Amino acid sequence: MATQSKSHPAFSVDIFQNEYLADGAREVNAIVTVTATGGGTPVGLPSADGGQGADAAVVITVDGSGSMDYPPTKMRNAREATAVAIDTLRDGVAFAVVKGTHEAVEVYPGGGRLAVADHDTRKQAKQALRKLTPAGGTAIGTWLTLADQLFDSRPDIAIRHGILLTDGRNEHEKPAELRRVLDEVAGRFTADCRGVGTDWEVDELRRISSALLGTVDIVAEPSGLAEDFRAMMEKTMGKQVADVALRLWTPANAVVKYVKQVAPAVEDLTGRRTEAGPRAGDYPTGSWGDESRDYHVCVEVPAAAVGSEMLAARISLVLPAPDGGSEVLSQGLVRAIWTDDLVSSTRISPQVAHYTGQAELSAAVQEGMAAHRAGDVDRATAKLGLAVRLAHETGNEGTFRLLQKVVDVVDAREGTVRFRKNVSEADSMTLETRSTKTVRVKK
């Protein structure tokens, strides 16, 4: 069992729902807000030999394929960004730098191991960045496999995070091979993925970041890489506990229809369930620092008579325990009460309504952009018009502004739009890449 930081945050679970169901109704919806606070900043932990151990591990993988030389500023900015990320590492963090082409090559420290960050290793790692010269193809599965092997060299470290930068498509590897690798490494480490320029595929990079419970974003101009890498590394340095799972227990004859993270971004966790005892299943949430996230849980329960009340789900935050069991960090209850009062049963929880709209907004953007790529302008216009209306209704100003770069908004309230002429590829990809980002419910 890997060692967790000695100081991890305190977790709380808040449930938002309308527990009243109409006679005959079976679907129960709830928004689960999970908040982690007060963990403090982790520091290097003492190792068994009295030296300085590591409480987290980071592998930075930079695309070194030939396309990174077009223009030459792309690789130069990638090296500078990697140096910034190395400087942001906290003392005591284990780390490595990998160059990714049609194969994966260790840039620093080499020998299939991780270095431990201090003044000297940071300096050595930045000097080694001269090895990041563009040549070769792109086979991302090999990059992930090497990252996994490097993390595996330190089985004592629980918090394992990768940063992956690419500028192109995974052209030197069959899709089935990448899927196989993702299945193999999912749950072993998390990773944030970045695409620089506009020659990479949004869906491909999103599949990778989704499997590894990380983020995906576009850095359209290489000059923006350094600040983006700094922000990613600062966030990673704030992680204090890994492998937290959302555990759902449901009563007999109840069915979990879906579990989705809905803030800060939409991520469907339904297919990630692992059984955790009778009528219980765990859904992975990855690593946590001081932060708050929202999840939408939908459970189908057996219908009951008016006046009946039941526990529809028990939701727990759990952490693997050294004895092989689980430590319960916090817990909340989802209820169902059947009523013939129309006002009570038709009232929609503001949180449920808001995040249902946010999920629809994300899907509308992705479907609209896919239709546009396929040349179906009518469907693309309809879907992005719906996205404009939903962004307006839910107050998602960030997505609304991105939509305005792709369509002219005639009437936001009605969702009437026209496609703009000469839309840049960067604006289209930025909208699609950031379509899963949501806004919280306004208090």
Side-chain angles (χ1 to χ4, degrees):
M1 177 67 64
T3 302
Q4 296 278 359
S5 168
K6 287 184 177 179
S7 173
H8 68 63
F11 284 83
S12 63
V13 172
D14 294 301
I15 307 293
F16 300 94
Q17 66 163 139
N18 175 19
E19 63 266 38
Y20 291 100
L21 301 181
D23 186 16
R26 301 180 60 191
E27 189 172 285
V28 182
N29 286 275
I31 298 299
V32 181
T33 296
V34 178
T35 304
T37 55
T41 301
V43 295
L45 302 177
S47 61
D49 61 3
Q52 195 72 359
D55 64 313
V58 178
V59 175
I60 305 168
T61 302
V62 178
D63 191 335
S65 63
S67 59
M68 287 290 286
D69 206 22
Y70 302 96
T73 53
K74 199 186 294 182
M75 180 52 82
R76 186 171 70 243
N77 286 128
R79 282 193 292 263
E80 291 172 357
T82 305
V84 167
I86 291 167
D87 280 334
T88 312
L89 288 166
R90 190 177 58 250
D91 278 354
V93 170
F95 76 103
V97 179
V98 170
K99 174 184 174 180
T101 60
H102 53 281
E103 57 185 359
V105 178
E106 295 175 56
V107 173
Y108 182 83
R113 61 191 177 89
L114 299 170
V116 176
D118 59 25
H119 176 270
D120 292 336
T121 56
R122 287 193 200 90
K123 183 178 179 180
Q124 292 163 11
K126 288 186 288 184
Q127 289 173 341
L129 294 180
R130 289 192 294 267
K131 298 176 187 175
L132 283 173
T133 54
T138 304
I140 296 176
T142 65
W143 311 357
L144 298 173
T145 297
L146 178 55
D148 186 47
Q149 291 168 352
L150 290 167
F151 285 128
D152 221 26
S153 71
R154 290 297 305 268
D156 57 307
I157 299 176
I159 299 175
R160 304 172 170 193
H161 190 76
I163 289 176
L164 187 153
L165 174 72
T166 186
D167 77 328
R169 298 169 179 83
N170 198 40
E171 294 176 335
H172 293 81
E173 188 174 61
K174 292 181 179 179
E177 177 61 16
L178 178 58
R179 284 196 299 271
R180 183 194 66 78
V181 172
L182 287 174
D183 288 342
E184 194 171 275
V185 303
R188 294 173 60 82
F189 62 92
T190 57
D192 291 323
C193 300
R194 294 295 183 267
V196 59
T198 57
D199 292 329
W200 52 281
E201 289 187 4
V202 175
D203 287 345
E204 187 172 75
L205 217 53
R206 178 175 284 125
R207 279 195 298 273
I208 297 168
S209 66
S210 178
L212 300 177
L213 296 174
T215 63
V216 61
D217 207 349
I218 181 174
V219 184
E221 295 298 327
S223 59
L225 283 172
E227 185 53 41
D228 191 73
F229 269 45
R230 178 186 289 107
M232 277 193 291
M233 191 61 79
E234 286 177 348
K235 186 176 179 181
T236 300
M237 292 299 94
K239 300 299 183 183
Q240 300 149 37
V241 60
D243 301 325
V244 178
L246 197 70
R247 177 169 294 172
L248 262 69
W249 174 93
T250 49
N253 300 318
V255 176
V256 178
K257 295 188 70 175
Y258 58 80
V259 176
K260 297 177 183 177
Q261 178 185 286
V262 287
V266 177
E267 186 66 61
D268 193 343
L269 302 176
T270 311
R272 309 279 188 91
R273 177 185 174 107
T274 57
E275 296 307 310
R279 301 196 302 277
D282 286 354
Y283 300 83
T285 68
S287 301
W288 288 72
D290 280 14
E291 58 188 295
S292 182
R293 305 179 199 170
D294 293 332
Y295 299 86
H296 187 167
V297 172
C298 180
V299 178
E300 188 174 87
V301 297
V306 169
S308 300
E309 180 176 349
M310 71 176 293
L311 179 63
R314 181 187 299 114
I315 298 175
S316 309
L317 263 291
V318 299
L319 191 64
D323 62 2
S326 299
E327 175 189 356
V328 177
L329 304 173
S330 190
Q331 200 170 83
L333 304 177
V334 178
R335 303 182 184 278
I337 303 170
W338 281 266
T339 180
D340 55 6
D341 177 49
L342 190 62
V343 174
S344 296
S345 64
T346 56
R347 186 176 65 245
I348 300 175
S349 160
Q351 288 82 2
V352 171
H354 175 82
Y355 285 121
T356 299
Q358 292 286 283
E360 290 176 358
L361 167 58
S362 175
V365 170
Q366 292 176 39
E367 291 170 16
M369 296 309 293
H372 190 246
R373 284 196 304 274
D376 189 343
V377 177
D378 289 344
R379 177 174 170 79
T381 303
K383 286 295 181 181
L384 293 188
L386 172 61
V388 164
R389 179 171 64 79
L390 290 169
H392 175 73
E393 288 176 355
T394 60
N396 194 326
E397 295 177 2
T399 299
F400 189 85
R401 285 194 294 269
L402 293 175
L403 282 161
Q404 286 180 306
K405 294 183 177 182
V406 175
V407 296
D408 287 318
V409 178
V410 179
D411 188 328
R413 194 179 297 273
E414 295 295 326
T416 308
V417 302
R418 289 190 300 262
F419 260 93
R420 300 183 66 145
K421 295 180 179 178
N422 304 318
V423 175
S424 74
E425 187 68 14
D427 285 339
S428 294
M429 289 182 67
T430 301
L431 171 61
E432 190 170 7
T433 305
R434 298 178 183 172
S435 62
T436 59
K437 293 186 177 182
T438 58
V439 293
R440 308 294 293 271
V441 178
K442 293 182 178 178
K443 300 295 184 182

